[in-house]
Amino acid sequence: MTEETTVPLKIVVLVKHVPDVQFDRHIDSASLRLDRSESVLSELDEYAVEAAVALVESQGGFAAGHEVIAATMGGKSASNSVKKALQMGASSGLHLNDDALAGSDTVATSKALAALIEHVGDVDLVVTGMSSTDAETSVVPAQLAERLNFAQLTNALAVEFDGASRELTVRRDHADRTLSLTAALPAVLSVTDQANEPRYPNFKAIMAAKKKSITEVDLAGIGLEAETVGASGSRSVVLNATARPAREAGTVINDSGQAGIALVDFLAEQKLI
Amino acid sequence: MPSALVFFNELSDAPSKAQRELLTLASRFDRATLAVASEVPQFAQDVISGYAVDKLLIAPGNSDAFIDHALSALAAAVKRSEADVVLVANDNFHREIAARLAVRLDGAVITDAIDVSADLVVTKDELAGSYSAQAKATNGTLFVTVKPNSIEDAPQAQGQQLEVQPLDCEAAATPAIRIVATEAKAASDRPKLTEARVVVAGGRGVNGDFGPVEDLADALAGAVGASRAATDAGWISHDAQIGQTGVTVSPQLFISAGISGAIQQKAGMQTSKCIIAINKDVDAPVFEIADLGIVGDLAKVLPQAAEEIRRRQA
């Protein structure tokens, strides 16, 4: 990262509002949809916001004209995750808010997000977390690369950007190797939780975020028909979902010097050795 | 009866346990085809012929460009086999190419499967294994990524003749990603964490010393895992991380040492068949899910157990 780019970068960082993993999470037995109360910015998206903001800071900062647009799709409360991203340093927010999005699988989700990114226009880089912590499919970034015809640099352990050549290099695990992969922009980048240390917004950053705008659009606004997303635009359907019975606590013993032997006795009883 | 395609990006040696599980699953369907995006050594072909696979399609990779060749090879294999269901491994790379092709071919992708029925209903884990769900495709080819340890590896065909054919694929249309450096990961004699039948994992309670955890893992021929606290502390490689943001494991036996069992830690281990927990804190939540809980010092319990296993096996 020796030289800075002279052309401002337009970066979209995708954030998702998900049920907090610190609490028990539930799938509604009638709708088969996730209970989305108690939702927060997906912890793994904090790494994406940090990667986007840090990249801009390495290239002369926002004063140089770069943009980091924190974008989300979903119902009204999803904008809370955009607000958090603004506090972490994104320059503006974008919320695709439309009831018809509910029930989208990854095929439909990637369709809506690709249309949103095309609606923004002239995007150089899309940044995401490695996975959402709700559905955990981790495939939407690759699907966006497919739909947008952007280079796919996903599951990055580390990220470097060369402003002069406008090329991004990431490290990624692949089978029994770690690869360094380079591609020119435009690209879709997803970062793992090893890529950086997300910053914690301070009071000044929280106050500054209040002055930043969040633009709201609906499906018609980005040129998508409602039936091409949501349940009708999805290519898979959930038939049923049942909570696994809670595991029951077994025997608990105190070690009085022979617990290692008791452990092996237990393994033998269970025919595990 | 639907037809199945299994796809491996590479097969440098004999098929791995997870790959053999996919071949077993494919044998439930009509006309199972295996496509591989790299050379397949004769030894691997001999192993494959022990499964009910009709045809092996080989598309040798010549590529320094990441992902493009795999995408082209899988696209060509889907077209050639006319398969109704495509089965791939659950790792990031295979998930991603399956998901891209689902978009390209207007099909469906379902991840984290633990079973696929003959009528293409997929059973899968949700919310890190706290729910079991069933899902199906509503349109087009169904791409499924299957978790290791979900299907019992069971070769069945006896000395079947495997039809081997080259698979031509189109040059990549996607933007080039160059591989500019490759580092081999440190070789390990231990089984892969995601595929292991036994996992011994350590957390904050190991206090920087994974020696006792590794010792017991080796006595049990198991893999070593770790909580995020232990990997973040730099006590062990991030590759070992289990939990919400690491890998979830489903071994026969999971031994948790010095891991409190906070909700996101439980998430990574709760589908294990048997859980043994060792922790100094009698109130640690991990005891709520353990089949056997030991309140004690892991630095004493683990070496004693490892020694006892070696003594009995001697």
Side-chain angles (χ1 to χ4, degrees):
Chain A
M1 284 195 223
T2 45
E3 287 184 72
E4 292 174 6
T5 179
T6 51
V7 185
L9 292 164
K10 195 189 267 191
I11 302 176
V12 171
V13 56
L14 295 173
V15 295
K16 191 172 184 187
H17 204 54
V18 299
D20 193 333
V21 297
Q22 305 295 336
F23 300 114
D24 275 325
R25 298 170 297 171
H26 299 283
I27 296 173
D28 181 80
S29 54
S31 69
L32 299 178
R33 288 180 187 160
L34 190 57
D35 172 4
R36 292 192 173 274
S37 54
E38 310 278 5
S39 283
V40 294
L41 170 65
S42 174
E43 185 189 339
L44 292 169
D45 292 348
E46 294 181 12
Y47 300 88
V49 177
E50 179 63 36
V53 173
L55 197 159
V56 160
E57 286 171 348
S58 79
Q59 299 295 310
F62 290 105
H66 305 301
E67 284 180 77
V68 174
I69 303 163
T72 197
M73 64 179 250
K76 190 168 175 293
S77 63
S79 66
N80 289 329
S81 286
V82 176
K83 282 181 192 146
K84 177 86 189 284
L86 294 176
Q87 292 172 355
M88 290 181 69
S91 51
S92 66
L94 179 60
H95 181 187
L96 174 59
N97 182 358
D98 201 305
D99 292 342
L101 293 164
S104 295
D105 69 354
T106 64
V107 169
T109 297
S110 64
K111 184 179 290 175
L113 290 173
L116 183 66
I117 290 156
E118 278 168 349
H119 169 76
V120 170
D122 300 322
V123 171
D124 298 298
L125 181 63
V126 177
V127 190
T128 77
M130 64 193 271
S131 174
S132 69
T133 56
D134 53 358
E136 294 178 57
T137 67
S138 72
V139 300
V140 169
Q143 292 177 328
L144 286 173
E146 176 73 26
R147 289 187 186 277
L148 296 166
N149 200 28
F150 282 17
Q152 180 199 318
L153 294 171
T154 44
N155 290 291
L157 303 165
V159 184
E160 274 179 61
F161 180 68
D162 184 326
S165 64
R166 289 171 75 86
E167 283 187 329
L168 206 54
T169 299
V170 303
R171 279 165 54 81
R172 163 183 184 143
D173 283 338
H174 180 63
D176 54 356
R177 310 179 283 285
T178 303
L179 305 178
S180 294
L181 304 169
T182 297
L185 301 184
V188 176
L189 168 70
S190 82
V191 293
T192 71
D193 56 354
Q194 295 173 55
N196 55 47
E197 280 290 328
R199 67 195 67 190
Y200 195 78
N202 58 22
F203 180 71
K204 197 177 152 200
I206 291 168
M207 294 312 287
K210 289 184 192 289
K211 297 196 182 106
K212 297 174 185 171
S213 63
I214 300 178
T215 306
E216 200 171 288
V217 288
D218 60 10
L219 287 167
I222 61 168
L224 271 189
E225 305 278 342
E227 56 273 19
T228 63
V229 297
S232 53
S234 291
R235 295 293 175 250
S236 57
V237 62
V238 178
L239 304 170
N240 58 62
T242 37
R244 283 224 166 79
R247 293 186 78 105
E248 284 178 31
T251 319
V252 179
I253 59 172
N254 280 294
D255 182 21
S256 51
Q258 294 296 304
I261 312 289
L263 192 164
V264 181
D265 286 340
F266 181 83
L267 293 180
E269 275 166 34
Q270 303 289 317
K271 301 194 178 3
L272 288 163
I273 50 170
Chain B
M1 182 73 157
S3 59
L5 170 68
V6 178
F7 177 79
F8 304 153
N9 184 47
E10 16 181 29
L11 196 51
S12 52
D13 208 336
S16 68
K17 180 166 171 282
Q19 288 175 325
R20 286 183 271 121
E21 289 167 6
L22 287 175
L23 295 174
T24 303
L25 179 56
S27 67
R28 290 185 196 168
F29 300 94
D30 199 21
R31 292 185 292 111
T33 302
L34 170 65
V36 183
S38 64
E39 296 285 2
V40 179
Q42 185 58 49
F43 177 62
Q45 293 190 23
D46 293 345
V47 176
I48 293 160
S49 67
Y51 292 79
V53 172
D54 283 5
K55 197 180 284 181
L56 170 62
L57 302 174
I58 304 177
N62 55 349
S63 170
D64 290 329
F66 189 67
I67 220 168
D68 293 347
H69 175 68
L71 285 170
S72 301
L74 180 53
V78 171
K79 195 172 169 196
R80 177 89 165 264
S81 65
E82 297 178 327
D84 301 295
V85 61
V86 179
L87 306 170
V88 302
N90 203 43
D91 60 73
N92 284 327
F93 186 84
H94 285 91
R95 285 162 92 103
E96 288 173 340
I97 57 165
R100 287 186 67 145
L101 284 167
V103 162
R104 198 179 289 182
L105 304 175
D106 202 20
V109 60
I110 299 175
T111 56
D112 293 313
I114 56 173
D115 200 12
V116 185
S117 73
D119 57 353
L120 299 184
V121 172
V122 180
T123 304
K124 65 167 292 182
D125 285 337
E126 291 280 6
L127 299 180
S130 56
Y131 279 75
S132 171
Q134 288 189 308
K136 69 178 180 74
T138 54
N139 190 73
T141 309
L142 168 63
F143 293 82
V144 185
T145 78
V146 184
K147 290 176 85 167
N149 282 335
S150 306
I151 306 292
E152 194 172 344
D153 171 29
Q156 43 189 236
Q158 291 291 323
Q160 182 176 297
Q161 194 62 40
L162 185 65
E163 190 183 340
V164 183
Q165 292 177 359
L167 175 66
D168 292 327
C169 43
E170 288 171 29
T174 47
I177 300 169
R178 306 189 313 275
I179 300 174
V180 293
T182 303
E183 264 171 72
K185 287 196 190 176
S188 168
D189 292 336
R190 297 193 182 109
K192 281 174 71 177
L193 187 56
T194 49
E195 297 181 11
R197 288 173 55 84
V198 175
V199 173
V200 185
R204 205 183 292 277
V206 307
N207 259 324
D209 180 11
F210 262 76
V213 172
E214 290 172 345
D215 187 30
L216 182 57
D218 289 342
L220 290 163
V224 172
S227 71
R228 183 160 172 187
T231 59
D232 279 355
W235 299 339
I236 189 162
S237 155
H238 271 279
D239 294 345
Q241 187 177 311
I242 291 167
Q244 185 81 60
T245 62
V247 295
T248 59
V249 294
S250 301
Q252 294 286 321
L253 171 63
F254 187 90
I255 300 180
S256 149
I259 296 177
S260 71
I263 202 159
Q264 66 274 34
Q265 293 171 346
K266 276 190 200 165
M269 60 170 111
Q270 65 195 353
T271 58
S272 306
K273 311 256 175 337
C274 176
I275 298 176
I276 297 179
I278 301 108
N279 204 296
K280 277 183 183 166
D281 176 8
V282 68
D283 296 320
V286 72
F287 290 132
E288 294 162 13
I289 61 165
D291 299 287
L292 173 67
I294 296 172
V295 182
D297 181 357
L298 67 91
K300 296 199 175 100
V301 177
L302 300 191
Q304 187 181 47
E307 194 190 324
E308 178 68 9
I309 289 164
R310 292 197 178 101
R311 189 184 68 77
R312 292 190 194 185
Q313 287 173 345

